[in-house]
Amino acid sequence: MQAGRELDVKVAEALGWGVEEMEGNGYTVPDFSTTWEGMGVLVEEAKKQGIAFRVETRFIDGSFFDYQCLASNGQTFGMATSGTAPYAACLALLKVKGVAV
């Protein structure tokens, strides 16, 4: 699944947010998978559920290669790699939550 609205809705649902109710009240789902600001919301909301993140920037021969994200609730781990940190964080969260993408 690519970064964007469909993935953002999946993440919101995995966090336990009522997306239909949210949107019915005029709120929008954050851009979890495409913006650093959205990733910040994701990390803070996941933290409330006991999920921690570790994001590393990887370089090869001095040039940016990708981001590697590890998410864990202490029992389950989710690892994802992507060209952007927000996308990697979303995929890692969904793996921890057991949501297929």
Side-chain angles (χ1 to χ4, degrees):
M1 178 177 291
Q2 297 297 317
R5 172 137 174 84
E6 184 180 356
L7 179 59
D8 296 338
V9 167
K10 255 193 195 285
V11 168
E13 292 170 346
L15 290 171
W17 294 10
V19 174
E20 288 180 22
E21 179 181 301
M22 228 176 101
E23 292 179 341
N25 288 322
Y27 295 99
T28 59
V29 173
D31 297 324
F32 296 120
S33 65
T34 57
T35 67
W36 284 91
E37 186 176 74
M39 185 178 93
V41 173
L42 164 65
V43 169
E44 289 301 316
E45 290 300 315
K47 180 180 174 182
K48 293 175 187 175
Q49 297 179 19
I51 298 171
F53 288 85
R54 179 178 178 173
V55 178
E56 294 184 5
T57 306
R58 299 191 312 166
F59 292 88
I60 295 181
D61 296 328
S63 296
F64 171 79
F65 186 67
D66 64 14
Y67 292 97
Q68 192 172 55
C69 182
L70 173 67
S72 174
N73 62 9
Q75 298 173 352
T76 305
F77 294 89
M79 174 85 107
T81 303
S82 173
T84 67
Y87 184 50
C90 287
L91 296 178
L93 172 82
L94 292 177
K95 287 180 180 181
V96 167
K97 293 283 196 167
V99 177
V101 286

